[in-house]
Amino acid sequence: MSFHDEGTGMGRRAATGLRTQANPFIPGEAPPPPEEAVEPDPLWNGQMSLEGPSSPEAAPLVDVSAEEPWPVVEITDRPLVTVMGLHGGSGASLVTELLGADALDVGRAWPVFTGWDRPAPSLPVVVTARTNYEGVAAASRFARLWAGETLPGSTLLGIVLIDDGPKLSSQQRSVVRRIGQMTPHGWHLPWNESWRLSKPSAEASSLRVRRIVSNIRTLAQSTNGDIS
């Protein structure tokens, strides 16, 4: 009798267990993929961008009367965003590639729209510089000229600072952070070894880079309005 009872109890427990388990013969939903983490950027203290003066009027007063003016180029097209390099090898082509086909590399001159659209739109501009001596000097000079209201006609979104090597010195880090706060937005692209060996693309980049690209494109769209 006791053997029969124990067997029955075990049978009930086994049956109950079977009823609560998923049927292995029915395909279930695949588990969601693990969430991609945003790689940290110690130089920017985890921020996607640094904030600076929103316009030349909001910047500290600077005397640029003795400065040589920045060159200007006329643009008849109306891209989503224009990318201007502040010096040779600044990474403008890299950033243009990341931003997509509706971004335009305008070289090293400040772009001003001269097409048929009226009222003439204010082109959104992103400038690029490396973190080496040449890049820091060019970025500092440009930021002063912008703050001195010598670059009208277009809207500066900010500066993208791109590492010139795998590791920055402490002096570089300090200067680069300062420059990142001299324009409306400062973005930082750390050294990426793969970009030396293959064509860069936003899709193949880290989540942080993709978010920077999305941020720039969103700012450009809000400045550019309807470009259809």
Side-chain angles (χ1 to χ4, degrees):
M1 176 67 71
S2 59
F3 178 80
H4 177 74
D5 288 341
E6 289 176 2
T8 303
M10 290 175 64
R12 289 197 189 99
R13 286 195 294 272
T16 301
L18 286 174
R19 284 196 298 270
T20 58
Q21 294 174 357
N23 189 332
F25 295 96
I26 300 176
E29 294 183 3
E35 185 175 348
E36 185 179 356
V38 179
E39 57 186 22
D41 182 2
L43 184 59
W44 252 229
N45 292 334
Q47 301 177 76
M48 182 173 60
S49 69
L50 299 183
E51 306 297 318
S54 58
S55 66
E57 294 78 13
L61 292 175
V62 292
D63 181 9
V64 293
S65 57
E67 296 265 8
E68 182 180 349
W70 201 275
V72 174
V73 62
E74 296 181 347
I75 301 294
T76 56
D77 295 330
R78 194 177 171 189
L80 174 68
V81 59
T82 56
V83 182
M84 184 182 85
L86 297 182
H87 59 95
S90 70
S93 59
L94 164 67
V95 172
T96 304
E97 191 71 39
L98 291 174
L99 287 172
D102 48 2
L104 177 65
D105 184 344
V106 296
R108 283 187 267 172
W110 179 255
V112 175
F113 182 80
T114 57
W116 288 99
D117 292 3
R118 291 295 180 272
S122 179
L123 296 174
V125 185
V126 169
V127 299
T128 62
R130 295 283 179 178
T131 54
N132 55 19
Y133 175 83
E134 183 182 11
V136 166
S140 297
R141 176 172 173 264
F142 170 81
R144 286 175 52 82
L145 288 171
W146 173 77
E149 301 184 57
T150 68
L151 297 168
S154 295
T155 302
L156 178 64
L157 301 181
I159 184 170
V160 181
L161 294 156
I162 307 166
D163 284 359
D164 66 308
K167 186 177 181 180
L168 303 186
S169 68
S170 58
Q171 184 179 9
Q172 276 182 299
R173 291 195 296 269
S174 175
V175 171
V176 168
R177 279 191 58 84
R178 176 178 61 82
I179 291 175
Q181 299 172 80
M182 293 174 71
T183 65
H185 296 87
W187 298 278
H188 175 233
L189 296 181
W191 179 259
N192 188 325
E193 187 70 24
S194 67
W195 287 344
R196 299 177 65 198
L197 307 173
S198 60
K199 185 177 181 179
S201 71
E203 294 75 14
S205 298
S206 68
L207 178 57
R208 184 175 176 279
V209 171
R210 298 200 305 272
R211 286 186 174 179
I212 289 174
V213 168
S214 177
N215 184 216
I216 294 174
R217 290 181 60 85
T218 298
L219 290 171
Q221 185 65 60
S222 65
T223 301
N224 224 335
D226 182 12
I227 59 173
S228 58

